[in-house]
Amino acid sequence: MTILKRNGINGPSPNFIYGNMFSHDNKPNVEKFSEYFSKYGNIMGYYIGSKPIVLVNDIDLIKRIQIKDFANFSDRQTLNLKNGLFPNPKFSEHLISARGGRWKEMRTILNPTFSAMKLKTMTPTIESCIDILIKKIDQKAQKGEEFDIYLYFQLLTTDVIAKTALGIDTDVQNNPNDKFYKAAKKIFDDKPPKFLLLFTCFPELDVILYPLRRFIQIIREVRGFSPNYIISKLIYTAINLRTKLSTKKNDLLQLMLDANASETEIRDTKMSKLTIDMNDDSVVEEKSSTIKNGYGMVKALTNDEIVINAIIFYEAGFETTSTALGFIAHILIKYPEIQEKVRQEVIDLYNEEKRFDYNTVNKLSYMQCVINETLRYFPPVTTFVTRTTNEDYHYKDIVIPKNSTVRLSLQHLHHNPDHWPNPEVFDPERFRDKNNIDPIAFQPFGQGPRNCIGMRFALYEMKLGLSKLLHKYRLVPGPSTEMDIKVDYKVITQTPRNGVFVKAIPL
């Protein structure tokens, strides 16, 4: 009997060596998890090698894991391998992978980047990127040509994150072959080779296997096959340029550089905490306080931590936001009555305010409902939300063993009929009254202290972009438009498989 079954958690029988890693019959995780939940219930377990994974769709347990008992689930999934699957020590310690006190320190340093004040100052930069998108769409509209708006959104969000986070203009919207964009895209498109996954089955042998894994990674970097290494060159160039010219910019990279330069300055810095409710787009600024954590004063970021965190923001900033925008565009075409209702709200807002900015677009309540319902129906991140148990955790008649990984499937959480009436029906009106929505049942950006730090940034970028787009164009189907969109389930995300083809009609 396996350790999970001894603790009351049912699931498929694992292979002695690789667990259940290769028993998914080449099905995407989302499809296999549907079978698991149907057969074993909302709390079940499987194995990656010898590592127990507890798959959860029980909302009460999720709330305990992410919020109430967060202290026992403060870290994300670990594979028990030195420096992870891609063993470059420079790329191993970042906001997503960091654990315990170090994660708290990083989060403290990076939080101010996404305050309401920072987002307002970023508006001209974001708007300049959107204007390039509008110009490209205008060229297609004048010729009456269809185009893949999902690709346009990918290039837009890459441009936005490069400029706002790194202060770099790569002209990627006019150059889809930009090597840094292609590297970031490769991160999400590629699946880890099976021989690499096998390393996770033998964590106790990693002391012997690590030199081999490191050698393979070095070869990949030298031959230009490592996306993180390619993007790191862009970050190092930006850092060296600022150091050489003694210039400062108002962006994420500068915040991290300043933190690295003066630990005393970080210790004495005052910042506002951000209170966030996904169902209420207001941002509440709480009383400023000295930056501290439970382990004492904040420790500055190392140079390597600056670079890898910048890489993480660059990669995440383009993929998930562009995917959300792609699915929203699909919805607006499939349901033209919804598009017209959003557009009328946008037009009314502009007639009243005469501009689109942080304060005005956050008044678009129906657009927010459409965004929320799209993120519920098509959560860009499907199975990435994980936590690790620090100690054995007792819940009802089961025990989640220490050092187990707890995984959430947002696709199933967002389509759970126990919390969503008619979950397969697209209905933005369900978000009109936030009191009807359990925030644990709806979490496209995660929940609790380890939720997505860039949530407000992503929502603002989406609303500003959609406002400027719908104020000028009506999106209609073209010859290649899929009214029932096909979806690709990748390792972390789900995306439109064949793009989102549209025509833009000038208003």
Side-chain angles (χ1 to χ4, degrees):
M1 181 179 291
T2 65
I3 186 173
L4 290 178
K5 288 186 178 179
R6 286 200 304 270
N7 285 282
I9 301 173
N10 291 323
S13 298
N15 179 277
F16 179 73
I17 296 177
Y18 58 78
N20 305 105
M21 187 185 302
F22 304 125
S23 60
H24 282 197
D25 306 319
N26 293 320
K27 294 181 180 179
N29 278 343
V30 168
E31 293 183 15
K32 195 63 180 181
F33 290 170
S34 293
E35 296 178 8
Y36 283 164
F37 285 134
S38 177
K39 186 173 183 179
Y40 302 109
N42 283 335
I43 303 173
M44 60 79 58
Y46 63 99
Y47 293 83
I48 295 180
S50 61
K51 180 79 172 180
I53 313 293
V54 180
L55 188 63
V56 178
N57 198 27
D58 180 292
I59 199 166
D60 179 59
L61 178 56
I62 293 172
K63 186 177 299 184
R64 291 167 182 260
I65 290 168
Q66 292 183 310
I67 299 175
K68 183 178 178 181
D69 296 321
F70 174 76
N72 194 40
F73 298 92
S74 59
D75 299 326
R76 294 191 187 274
Q77 174 180 344
T78 174
L79 295 175
N80 294 328
L81 296 178
K82 185 178 180 181
N83 298 323
L85 279 177
F86 306 104
N88 186 330
K90 290 184 177 181
F91 302 146
S92 62
E93 186 80 348
H94 49 76
L95 188 62
I96 293 176
S97 67
R99 301 166 64 82
R102 192 55 183 149
W103 164 76
K104 291 184 179 182
E105 292 168 344
M106 285 187 180
R107 183 85 181 205
T108 299
I109 291 171
L110 297 172
N111 264 337
T113 309
F114 300 98
S115 68
M117 184 64 69
K118 289 285 187 180
L119 292 178
K120 290 176 182 178
T121 63
M122 291 178 185
T123 297
T125 302
I126 299 174
E127 195 167 18
S128 69
C129 298
I130 296 172
D131 288 342
I132 297 173
L133 168 73
I134 297 297
K135 183 178 179 180
K136 291 175 60 180
I137 292 177
D138 194 56
Q139 293 172 352
K140 293 292 185 181
Q142 296 304 323
K143 297 177 182 179
E145 296 178 348
E146 73 170 357
F147 58 97
D148 182 3
I149 199 170
Y150 175 48
L151 172 60
Y152 280 22
F153 284 147
Q154 287 184 308
L155 299 174
L156 166 68
T157 55
T158 304
D159 197 17
V160 168
I161 198 65
K163 289 177 179 175
T164 58
L166 309 177
I168 297 173
D169 186 356
T170 62
D171 196 33
V172 66
Q173 292 198 71
N174 296 313
N175 179 24
N177 292 318
D178 178 83
K179 64 179 180 179
F180 302 111
Y181 159 70
K182 293 177 74 173
K185 195 172 186 300
K186 187 177 177 62
I187 287 286
F188 292 92
D189 289 347
D190 284 358
K191 294 182 179 180
K194 289 188 175 182
F195 83 90
L196 273 179
L197 292 175
L198 281 173
F199 284 123
T200 66
C201 300
F202 307 100
E204 57 280 335
L205 299 179
D206 196 44
V207 174
I208 301 172
L209 295 173
Y210 178 76
L212 173 61
R213 296 172 54 229
R214 181 70 187 111
F215 175 75
I216 294 173
Q217 184 65 18
I218 290 173
I219 296 298
R220 286 174 54 81
E221 292 170 358
V222 170
R223 298 184 64 185
F225 295 156
S226 171
N228 280 347
Y229 190 73
I230 293 171
I231 299 173
S232 72
K233 293 181 179 179
L234 178 69
I235 313 300
Y236 280 120
T237 298
I239 293 174
N240 291 336
L241 186 61
R242 294 188 193 194
T243 302
K244 182 178 179 180
L245 300 179
S246 299
T247 58
K248 286 195 173 187
K249 296 187 177 183
N250 185 29
D251 56 21
L252 169 70
L253 183 60
Q254 193 64 55
L255 180 67
M256 292 191 291
L257 286 170
D258 290 345
N260 185 60
S262 175
E263 194 166 337
T264 302
E265 184 178 350
I266 299 174
R267 182 191 64 202
D268 295 334
T269 297
K270 303 288 184 177
M271 77 172 187
S272 294
K273 298 177 181 178
L274 215 58
T275 298
I276 296 175
D277 181 352
M278 183 65 200
N279 300 315
D280 179 1
D281 201 52
S282 62
V283 178
V284 180
E285 299 289 350
E286 298 178 348
K287 185 177 179 180
S288 296
S289 60
T290 303
I291 300 178
K292 294 182 179 180
N293 63 30
Y295 297 80
M297 294 298 181
V298 172
K299 177 185 175 184
L301 298 178
T302 67
N303 285 335
D304 288 340
E305 287 173 342
I306 290 175
V307 173
I308 184 55
N309 276 295
I311 291 173
I312 293 297
F313 277 97
Y314 183 82
E315 293 170 350
F318 111 84
E319 169 77 0
T320 53
T321 306
S322 63
T323 296
L325 284 168
F327 282 126
I328 291 170
H330 161 70
I331 289 297
L332 295 178
I333 291 174
K334 185 172 183 177
Y335 304 104
E337 69 281 3
I338 291 178
Q339 181 180 166
E340 292 306 315
K341 194 170 181 179
V342 174
R343 177 178 295 103
Q344 191 58 54
E345 184 181 50
V346 167
I347 292 172
D348 292 344
L349 175 73
Y350 190 81
N351 290 340
E352 180 180 347
E353 302 287 349
K354 306 303 180 185
R355 67 185 185 278
F356 297 123
D357 59 20
Y358 183 83
N359 291 326
T360 58
V361 298
N362 281 329
K363 297 178 181 180
L364 295 167
S365 59
Y366 185 69
M367 179 186 285
Q368 182 67 62
C369 290
V370 173
I371 291 173
N372 284 352
E373 178 67 348
T374 305
L375 292 174
R376 181 196 71 82
Y377 202 92
F378 296 108
V381 175
T382 52
T383 59
F384 181 67
V385 180
T386 61
R387 299 291 186 269
T388 296
T389 49
N390 297 328
E391 301 291 342
D392 287 354
Y393 186 78
H394 295 258
Y395 176 73
K396 295 183 178 178
D397 56 349
I398 68 169
V399 176
I400 303 177
K402 179 180 178 179
N403 293 328
S404 298
T405 291
V406 178
R407 182 180 297 276
L408 278 59
S409 175
L410 297 188
Q411 183 72 16
H412 296 92
L413 186 63
H414 286 187
H415 288 256
N416 189 331
D418 292 339
H419 309 293
W420 303 100
N422 301 313
E424 303 310 316
V425 174
F426 188 90
D427 180 16
E429 295 296 334
R430 70 172 85 236
F431 283 93
R432 280 294 192 185
D433 185 357
K434 68 174 185 177
N435 293 321
N436 293 332
I437 306 296
D438 188 325
I440 299 300
F442 176 63
Q443 47 173 298
F445 297 92
Q447 267 293 356
R450 289 200 80 142
N451 69 345
C452 175
I453 193 174
M455 180 180 79
R456 288 292 165 192
F457 178 88
L459 288 173
Y460 178 41
E461 183 181 357
M462 283 191 275
K463 284 185 278 190
L464 187 61
L466 290 170
S467 296
K468 293 177 72 70
L469 175 63
L470 295 177
H471 188 250
K472 192 170 183 179
Y473 303 104
R474 176 175 290 108
L475 301 180
V476 299
S480 304
T481 301
E482 293 179 346
M483 300 308 288
D484 293 315
I485 196 167
K486 296 180 177 62
V487 174
D488 257 347
Y489 293 108
K490 301 178 181 178
V491 176
I492 296 175
T493 59
Q494 65 170 328
T495 60
R497 177 180 300 172
N498 302 314
V500 182
F501 283 86
V502 304
K503 281 187 174 182
I505 307 299
L507 298 175

